[in-house]
Amino acid sequence: MNDINILGIESSCDDTSAAVIQNGVIKSNVVSSQAVHEQYGGVVPELASRAHQQNIIPVVDKAIKDAGMEPSDISALAFTKGPGLLGSLLVGTSFAKGFALSMDIPLIEVNHLQAHVLAHFVKESPADDNQPKFPFLCLLVSGGHSQILLVKDHLEMEIIGTTIDDAAGEAFDKCAKIMNLGYPGGPIVDNLAQKGNPEAFKFNKPKIENFDYSFSGLKTSFLYFLRDRMKENQNFIEENKEDLCASLQKTIIDILMTKFHKAVKQTGVKEIAVAGGVSANSGLRNRLEEYAKNEKLKLFIPKFAYTTDNAAMIAITGLFKYQKSDFSSHDITPQARMSL
Ligand code: KG4
Ligand code: ZN
């Protein structure tokens, strides 16, 4: 059997990434993160697309070299079609078309959200068989999305619940911004939370029907709480940073876990997984581990490299589509808003 080498390209937000997988096994995964946005406290779309333009060729070149391959060894090219920032997506899409055309190989469009879930299927070695079995429930938590998905097959996922406003990652980032902690806020809050008391402060939790999430109320409650305390003590945030982060993180995790537990009970699944940038959170990982143990469920937590945006997840999704000959035509355009 000929080897199937998929080159994946990810450029939906502020990470330029390229990866090569061979028959589902990771060969390289190069990520170039854009530090330029830190000083603005969030991603500046115009700067992101310019940085992608500068990074994409060296990143792809390194991914192919790290894999020990030549461009002519690549069987197909998978790229992120959306959702994401249109300017950023355009850079990846245009590069992907050019590469596929010049090498005369199939072009495969990938949904970024589906790819976050399928990151669990990237193999570390040919013998690696530690992958979830269908159906499983996946908690997809990133900067743009918070969803509970029933994964029935590689390319068949049903949305059980979704956020009606902010995503979990946004809640981390926006609350960190209120505290002036820097960007992206998630990892900073995670770090400080490890030194704080999660029971120190209480914040409002949403009362939403069914399996949906809402995080905008928490952000507002956090803002008003700090405003009131700052009236009494100008240094309140500085003096209570660790406790604030620990309490905020616990509230976000409580909200995520309550609905996830409800969905596990309703669907009766035996295997669960977590994906997306927020799945890097140590508090969420610990809570899921404890939960899976108590409920006797098999839990899949991605390697850190596959939590935030990366092209390995795009390449593996590309492989599943390649196996179905699900290819894209060259008149394809990126899409900023896209569901599963
Ligand atoms: O999946 P991702 O890289 O991009 C999107 O597709 O949105 O997720 C980025 C999000 C950001 O909101 C970031 O703050 C959050 O993931 N994040 C974390 C942690 N690491 C990244 N949130 C909480 N704890 C972390 N350790
Ligand atoms: Zn993402």
Side-chain angles (χ1 to χ4, degrees):
M1 191 189 79
N2 284 343
D3 287 329
I4 301 170
N5 299 323
I6 310 278
L7 171 65
I9 292 186
E10 155 63 29
S11 72
S12 65
C13 192
D14 59 342
D15 295 304
T16 319
S17 180
V20 177
I21 59 164
Q22 181 171 66
N23 309 324
V25 179
I26 190 77
K27 290 287 162 189
S28 65
N29 184 33
V30 180
V31 183
S32 167
S33 300
Q34 305 173 0
V36 62
H37 308 287
E38 279 164 21
Q39 56 187 304
Y40 300 99
V43 178
V44 183
E46 175 60 26
L47 296 179
S49 14
R50 284 190 209 183
H52 282 305
Q53 271 175 340
Q54 283 171 350
N55 295 340
I56 195 143
I57 292 175
V59 163
V60 170
D61 189 53
K62 184 163 172 21
I64 295 175
K65 285 197 176 119
D66 283 1
M69 293 184 194
E70 300 287 331
S72 55
D73 293 323
I74 303 298
S75 322
L77 190 140
F79 71 99
T80 308
K81 179 187 178 190
L85 300 169
L86 198 59
S88 293
L89 291 165
L90 262 170
V91 178
T93 309
S94 310
F95 182 89
K97 285 184 191 179
F99 190 98
L101 199 63
S102 63
M103 302 311 297
D104 195 20
I105 54 173
L107 183 65
I108 303 172
E109 68 194 73
V110 168
N111 180 316
H112 181 89
L113 300 175
Q114 203 168 42
H116 267 302
V117 177
L118 295 179
H120 285 286
F121 293 88
V122 177
K123 292 183 178 186
E124 294 304 311
S125 68
D128 178 1
D129 61 357
N130 187 32
Q131 285 145 13
K133 291 191 182 55
F134 306 113
F136 67 94
L137 212 54
C138 186
L139 179 64
L140 172 58
V141 271
S142 72
H145 295 83
S146 297
Q147 296 183 325
I148 300 174
L149 304 170
L150 181 62
V151 187
K152 299 173 182 171
D153 204 346
H154 293 122
L155 301 171
E156 200 191 339
M157 303 178 190
E158 183 190 339
I159 302 172
I160 303 281
T162 192
T163 180
I164 59 163
D165 42 54
D166 290 352
E170 252 178 308
F172 274 106
D173 295 343
K174 287 181 176 171
C175 291
K177 197 169 180 179
I178 295 171
M179 291 186 280
N180 231 340
L181 294 180
Y183 180 85
I188 304 171
V189 171
D190 189 355
N191 245 316
L192 288 165
Q194 290 172 30
K195 291 170 235 141
N197 172 11
E199 305 296 338
F201 307 110
K202 295 274 175 265
F203 305 112
N204 284 351
K205 290 187 190 147
K207 293 177 184 66
I208 307 273
E209 291 291 299
N210 53 49
F211 302 104
D212 288 338
Y213 288 121
S214 164
F215 287 99
S216 72
L218 170 62
K219 174 191 63 193
T220 314
S221 134
F222 191 70
L223 179 70
Y224 289 167
F225 171 82
L226 288 182
R227 195 187 56 184
D228 292 345
R229 294 297 175 102
M230 297 275 282
K231 278 187 199 150
E232 296 154 18
N233 173 9
Q234 272 298 313
N235 299 324
F236 182 77
I237 296 179
E238 192 48 43
E239 288 168 12
N240 295 279
K241 247 182 355 204
E242 287 88 359
D243 285 352
L244 281 168
C245 287
S247 305
L248 171 71
Q249 181 167 299
K250 177 175 187 296
T251 311
I252 295 174
I253 296 172
D254 282 349
I255 296 171
L256 289 173
M257 290 305 294
T258 305
K259 290 291 170 85
F260 193 60
H261 170 64
K262 203 171 148 188
V264 168
K265 290 288 150 209
Q266 164 121 350
T267 53
V269 292
K270 295 282 171 275
E271 302 203 355
I272 57 172
V274 63
V278 181
S279 68
N281 186 268
S282 56
L284 179 59
R285 287 175 169 234
N286 291 342
R287 184 80 81 83
L288 277 164
E289 268 163 12
E290 197 183 307
Y291 174 72
K293 200 169 155 213
N294 290 341
E295 299 286 326
K296 300 191 172 49
L297 300 165
K298 187 153 188 213
L299 169 67
F300 291 86
I301 294 187
K303 265 180 62 180
F304 272 106
Y306 304 149
T307 56
T308 46
D309 291 346
N310 66 87
M313 67 185 197
I314 305 300
I316 192 74
T317 309
L319 174 66
F320 295 127
K321 296 186 92 169
Y322 182 92
Q323 286 164 340
K324 290 186 169 316
S325 299
D326 185 357
F327 304 139
S328 305
S329 81
H330 276 258
D331 52 18
I332 184 152
T333 49
Q335 218 174 307
R337 289 179 158 274
M338 217 174 143
S339 183
L340 269 170

